[in-house]
Amino acid sequence: MSNSEKQIKGQAKGHNGIIDYEIDVADDKVKDLKILKHSETSGIFNQVIDKLKKSIVDEQSFDVDTISGATVMTKSILDSAKDSTKEEDVHLTPIPKKVVEHQTTRLKTDVVVIGGGEAGLVAGARVLTEGQNVILVEKNGYLGGATILNGSNVTGTGSEVSKKIFGNSGDTPEHLAEDVARESKDSNYPDLTNLMAHNIGSAIDFISDFAGLEYQKAQTQTIEHSIDRQIELPTASSYEFIKKVSKAFEDKGGKVILSARVEQLTFDSKGNLNGLVAESDNETIKIKAKSVVLAAGGHGANAKMRGAESEGIDYYGPMTATGDAYSFNSELKLKTHDLGWYKIYPHGVEVEPGIAKLTTYASKEATDLGSIYVNSKGKRIVNESAPYTDDRDAILEQPDRISYLVMDERTWKAFYDLLVLHDFLPEEIKGFFDNQDKKPVFAKGSLADVAKVAGIDATQLEKTVSDYQGYAEKGRDPEFGRDAKFLHQFEGDTFYVVEQRGRYATTLGGYSVSPANLELLDESDKLVPNYFGAGEVIGGANGHDSMPSMMNTWGISSGYVAGEAASKNADRLNEVGGQEKKIVSLVGTNASKSYNRKLLHSMRDLFDAQTDFEICEIKDIPMFNEDLLESEPQIVKDLAAKIEDADGIVISTPEYDHSVPASLKSAIEWLSSIEHPFTDKPVMIVGTSLGIQGTVRAQTNLRQILDSPGVDAKVMPGSEFMLPQAGNKFDEDNKITDSGSVDFLKSCFNKFLKFIEMDKSLASE
């Protein structure tokens, strides 16, 4: 290693703990950023760290943008790395980031999906296989949504996949639906439950084939299910699902747009949903689509939306689950239900105030091996091998809403292995034991030792354990009736105690949908055309409480159904033809800088949601010359074809010497010689100028020209839009700043759309 080369090690505080990193530097340039250890959620971390590293190396700076959805973590790394290199006397020379002016990107597709979690990806995949084009929009800088924090376990009822795993087990959609109803205490919405139960088999077979997923029998078959039906991926991680499905989605033609937050929905001239507007860094993205699938996730991280049921319960979901959909959907007045329902688990440890990490799989294994739950008084509180809902309710009944899992060394080893498999690092767990004066409670030692650390009544704990040993020896639990097969005596004198707290991430209520095809409903129970829901944002299938594996079951099955319905809807609209009016607008000048060009750009921003609004230039059309008629320029032919195909024409004209510019007059002469595309074509005239009259004479002149023989356009009478003093009427994005002018322009344009409709009606008579 030369004197100019350095390897700088440092630490950053991530969301879940310390991140150890190394920066490779040579000649005062960053060559690489290596992550040595971390305790972040792998599914998120793995997706964002390469993006962050690339930005650092490309810009030779730690003052780069953080990654949306992982802001805390990425900012911590950047700040720490900046300090570490400074301490090592490294002087970076930043490479100026190319200044990108704000731009508007316009896209068209058959289906657009809002949300890149499990449900959104499955919906998008389904659309692709139906032969439609699809764009998926995700507000975070990574895919996975809340799913990325879960295991991959799901039910496979009715699938060929499960048939190979379990054989002819006797499981049926009806059995699955019965289990859902029983465990939710009949709070589920039966029609949605049946939709889920009867589609999960087809959905699992579909997505397995689409993305090459190889499901196997889940390690844990929970008691809530009346039959073995839970399956999972080899890694047991949902990251495997997200990674493989998203890769297949893009490989097969799907388009993913990350870090794009949906701000509003768009509607056509008849008020039907036809797309969305999303905002990204320096970019507004407008997407038009025949169908929209809402898979935006829940609202668990939104403190203002939380109900009383969540009070005092730790949150373990993504901090980006803020319920954005309830903002951008507000105009539609969609029907909602049970927004105060949460999926509360009893198996969690509080890793920071108000924030928990799950221990579900480890806790279940521990109780299978004989561990017990006690409260701070040292007393057992529940049948530890009953459905987790019993444990949950028992914890919530405790004054401090905490229980403690007591186990022996044999059980701890199995518990530990599953913690590490599901998002805990060995170093993280060691830290819990080492810092006994801080949460969470992880204690090891004699019963007296662990009781002291946990704050449990030691005398009562000794008695509880002694009583339990007797129950296990006799094979009978007179306190709670625990099944004898789970009554295993503690071995040895070393005990472990781990806290267990209620935690939630998932919201179980949401928007209401038609159980036929998951089309969204408004407050009057009317279907919202072209709009379909999937996943957590349209809860109800699992009721007020969902069994283990059932949130993934709902995400995959609802995504499958919504994707198919959205695809069929797009097919139907494509068959009946475009519903939008095609408007071709002409910039009435050949000048490179023109306020009339700005005016048309402003009109496109205002009206491209309800129309197909295209801006055409005339600046490259040569001056009209009859000698050239036999060799008509291709640019004239192309423009004539666009005008011929349009439903209406908008011309924005400046005013030169009380008349239209010569270039506009010349262009119309070309378009009324060999080609006659203006004949009987509805036309709207607009204009703007620096003066106070706003092109009044030029517009009068243009009306005369368009009315002349050979042109024969149908110019809309009245409703003349003339914008004076153009110099102070536009912002840097070419939008009109005067609200009164905008309102009048909207009025004029709406009249023009009616003028087009009226003309069509008269023509068809």
Side-chain angles (χ1 to χ4, degrees), residues 313-316 344-351 355-363 373 391 395 401-405 415 419 424 432 440-442 498-504:
I313 307 298
D314 289 338
Y315 180 68
Y316 74 98
I344 299 176
Y345 285 94
H347 316 116
V349 296
E350 189 175 46
V351 293
I355 303 298
K357 291 178 75 170
L358 66 89
T359 66
T360 302
Y361 304 100
S363 299
Y373 287 120
D391 184 19
I395 288 179
R401 289 192 162 188
I402 303 174
S403 74
Y404 299 91
L405 187 60
F415 183 85
L419 285 184
F424 286 81
F432 296 155
V441 173
F442 274 66
V498 176
E499 73 172 39
Q500 296 283 267
R501 293 172 177 260
R503 59 181 173 83
Y504 81 97

Side-chain angles (χ1 to χ4, degrees), residues 3 21 35 41 107 137 160 375 386 575 590 720 760:
N3 292 332
Y21 62 83
I35 302 300
T41 302
L107 302 170
V137 179
E160 291 299 315
N375 59 17
E575 286 177 5
N590 58 4
E720 299 170 325
K760 284 186 176 180

Side-chain angles (χ1 to χ4, degrees), residues 444-452 461-462 493-496:
K444 172 188 177 182
S446 66
L447 281 178
D449 292 336
V450 296
K452 182 178 180 180
L461 180 60
E462 292 271 6
D493 297 323
T494 300
F495 291 86
Y496 290 77

Side-chain angles (χ1 to χ4, degrees), residues 594-603 605-606 652 687-690 721 723-738 741-742 745:
S594 168
Y595 285 109
N596 281 277
R597 184 177 290 109
K598 288 177 178 287
L599 175 56
L600 290 182
H601 278 276
S602 185
M603 290 183 70
D605 280 328
L606 288 170
S652 184
T688 183
S689 70
L690 293 171
F721 183 80
L723 184 67
Q725 299 175 320
N728 57 14
K729 292 292 177 67
F730 295 92
D731 63 16
E732 58 185 13
D733 294 323
N734 297 329
K735 294 179 180 178
I736 300 174
T737 57
D738 178 63
S741 297
V742 170
L745 179 56

Side-chain angles (χ1 to χ4, degrees), residues 317-348:
M319 299 311 294
T320 54
T322 51
D324 297 2
Y326 296 92
S327 295
F328 64 72
N329 278 305
S330 58
E331 185 178 345
L332 283 173
K333 299 187 183 305
L334 298 178
K335 183 179 181 180
T336 61
H337 68 93
D338 308 307
L339 295 182
W341 281 5
Y342 302 92
K343 168 69 172 174
I344 299 176
Y345 285 94
H347 316 116

Side-chain angles (χ1 to χ4, degrees), residues 68 102-103 137-139 257-263 277-285:
S68 59
H102 186 276
Q103 61 182 5
V137 179
E138 167 58 50
K139 71 174 181 178
I257 304 177
L258 297 176
S259 301
R261 180 185 294 272
V262 175
E263 297 287 348
V277 179
E279 293 293 336
S280 187
D281 290 341
N282 298 313
E283 184 180 18
T284 297
I285 304 165

